[in-house]
Amino acid sequence: MADIPELIKIVIETLQDKKAENLVVLDVKKLVPYTDYFIIATGNSATHVHTLADAVGKLIKKPEEGLKQEDDPQANWLLIDGGDFVLHVFQPNARKFYALEDLWEDAERIEI
């Protein structure tokens, strides 16, 4: 994780502390204009997915802007726009179905 911004490192550490599974960071700077990194994680239940997303949301919340978060009521896939990164938190079946790592296979994978 040597060459990534400090905020991304803090997000990764927070997700690890909350027991996120299959954590992947993709460098998408050369592929999309709206963010630099995709952070992809799996939670083992709807509650776990919400816990992971909430923990990251607390890190990046800006009172004047609020938190940009897409929400799935069953918590199959929660998405948080953190500006420099987009966090995708899935339950296992949804992650397998959407297969973002395969979709973005041209992105550089950051070792964590």
Side-chain angles (χ1 to χ4, degrees):
M1 290 196 314
D3 208 20
I4 59 174
E6 192 62 30
L7 176 60
I8 305 299
K9 291 177 184 177
I10 293 169
V11 168
I12 291 166
E13 289 170 6
T14 299
L15 291 167
Q16 289 172 326
D17 288 348
K18 298 291 182 185
K19 309 296 186 216
E21 300 173 2
N22 303 318
L23 192 56
V24 172
V25 179
L26 301 176
D27 183 337
V28 294
K29 286 189 285 275
K30 296 177 183 172
L31 303 173
V32 300
Y34 53 87
T35 194
D36 294 337
Y37 299 93
F38 285 166
I39 302 172
I40 305 169
T42 301
N44 55 33
S45 67
T47 301
H48 191 206
V49 167
H50 278 290
T51 298
L52 295 170
D54 290 346
V56 172
K58 288 177 185 173
L59 289 175
I60 63 171
K61 188 172 183 180
K62 299 175 185 169
E64 68 278 3
E65 296 177 18
L67 178 64
K68 299 174 189 155
Q69 177 175 338
E70 297 291 328
D71 197 358
D72 169 358
Q74 288 80 37
N76 289 306
W77 178 6
L78 296 182
L79 182 143
I80 293 179
D81 180 351
D84 293 338
F85 69 92
V86 175
L87 171 65
H88 302 269
V89 186
F90 292 96
Q91 287 192 51
N93 288 339
R95 181 156 180 186
K96 186 176 180 178
F97 178 79
Y98 290 105
L100 290 187
E101 294 99 316
D102 295 339
L103 182 65
W104 295 99
E105 67 184 350
D106 292 342
E108 178 186 350
R109 194 173 186 137
I110 305 296
E111 292 297 320
I112 53 173

